Amino acid sequence: MSTDYETLTRTRAHRPQAIAEAAAGRVRRPWPEPGRPLFIIAADHPARGSLGVRDKPMAMAGRADLLDRLRLALSRPGVDGVLGTPDVLEDLLLLGALENRLAIGSMNRGGLAGAAFELDDRFTAYDADSIAAMRYDGGKMLCRIDPADPGSVSTLQACAQAVTGLAAHRTVAMVEPLWVARSGGRVAVDLRPEAIIRGVSVGQALGATSAYTWLKLPAIDEMERVMAATTLPVLLLGGDPVEDPDVVYARWARALRLPGVRGLVVGRALLYPPDDDVAAAVDLAGSLLPTGQAA
């Protein structure tokens, strides 16, 4: 799906107002009807300096390649939309790739991967007002909680404010609450069910109302225990694609059958599959959704 991306750069240089025009004119996709799961492609990793996929540390560094992969993924049956930072969503807007697709703005990307301040995850991208102004369909926030890191409380407060702000616009707040710890200088997500349940308990209580809050959670083997901890809608995240894809797909398939699990939000695992066949990876993930929905 390669295209002349020089035209995109020229538009940005000489007609920056074209972004707002494209946002204002975009044909929006209705939020899925009850009983129909969501399938969102995530593309907000580069903004946090997280460019690696498996053994390729700079896999996501090429913007033209990333856009090609995103446009291909968005063209596949069953895909509802994309989650990204302003630079990515605006490229897709200018390319016409967000027509009749959901657009979810990624909000806090200040917790750069590997940085000493990683868990003081500032809101450096969208805020609630800008998401509403761009006519997007939701805002996503990463809320990593490490009881040993003082930066976590700033992130908690900022996420709570974002949930309240999005709700004021009657816009979905997609909260990803993860209990984490540092090990060897790296932040690692605690995937024990008790830790995920603890994160759910904190994340679902953020903000002045939970009316528009959805949770974005990792799929684990004991997902039944996790889902028993909340009445909020849950979307499964893809995570770092280091496991065997067949194992990951099987875990998603089991979790998607649970009440309350409302779909998938997956990025690198589908955009950069081991065999590099993006279309096949997206189609396989889409086939796991309970209703087998069509775009």
Side-chain angles (χ1 to χ4, degrees), residues 134-145:
M134 293 293 283
R135 302 172 62 246
Y136 290 152
D137 306 286
K140 173 257 183 179
M141 62 207 75
L142 179 60
C143 187
R144 292 173 296 178
I145 306 160

Side-chain angles (χ1 to χ4, degrees), residues 202-225:
V202 174
Q204 66 188 352
L206 294 173
T209 176
S210 62
Y212 293 89
T213 301
W214 289 48
L215 299 177
K216 182 170 176 274
L217 302 174
I220 62 169
D221 290 333
E222 297 182 66
M223 202 65 191
E224 294 86 353
R225 292 180 59 192

Side-chain angles (χ1 to χ4, degrees), residues 31 70 80 89 143 147 158 193 209 250 272 283:
W31 201 260
L70 282 169
D80 289 292
L89 291 189
C143 187
T209 176
Y272 299 87
D283 291 349

Side-chain angles (χ1 to χ4, degrees), residues 10-31:
R10 284 197 295 271
T11 300
R12 284 182 167 279
H14 301 294
R15 290 195 64 247
Q17 68 274 20
I19 292 171
E21 293 168 0
R26 178 175 71 94
V27 176
R28 299 179 68 177
R29 187 189 195 99
W31 201 260

Side-chain angles (χ1 to χ4, degrees), residues 32-82:
E33 295 294 327
R36 182 180 177 279
L38 271 173
F39 188 9
I40 302 291
I41 304 297
D44 59 345
H45 304 89
R48 211 171 56 79
S50 184
L51 301 173
V53 182
R54 286 179 296 278
D55 60 346
K56 298 178 181 178
M58 300 298 286
M60 300 187 76
R63 183 49 57 97
D65 178 61
L66 174 60
L67 291 172
D68 278 348
R69 292 169 186 268
L70 282 169
R71 293 166 68 204
L72 177 57
L74 285 167
S75 75
R76 303 307 299 170
V79 174
D80 289 292
V82 63

Side-chain angles (χ1 to χ4, degrees), residues 5 8-9 12 16 19 22 42-51 60-64 66-68 70-71 74 82-98 103-109 124-127 130-131 134 136:
Y5 288 116
L8 188 63
T9 301
R12 284 182 167 279
I19 292 171
D44 59 345
H45 304 89
R48 211 171 56 79
S50 184
L51 301 173
M60 300 187 76
R63 183 49 57 97
L66 174 60
L67 291 172
D68 278 348
L70 282 169
R71 293 166 68 204
L74 285 167
V82 63
L83 183 160
T85 45
D87 54 321
V88 173
L89 291 189
E90 289 167 3
D91 277 348
L92 293 172
L93 268 175
L94 292 173
L95 292 166
L98 295 187
I104 310 295
S106 186
M107 303 176 77
N108 58 328
R109 297 280 86 188
T124 55
Y126 288 111
D127 57 23
S130 61
I131 286 172
M134 293 293 283
Y136 290 152

Side-chain angles (χ1 to χ4, degrees), residues 160-175:
Q161 292 169 344
V163 169
T164 300
L166 288 165
H169 291 290
R170 298 186 177 183
T171 301
V172 166
M174 196 178 291
V175 181

Side-chain angles (χ1 to χ4, degrees), residues 255-273:
L256 284 164
R257 292 195 291 268
L258 296 173
V261 177
R262 303 298 305 145
L264 295 169
V265 182
V266 184
R268 292 170 293 178
L270 303 182
L271 293 173
Y272 299 87

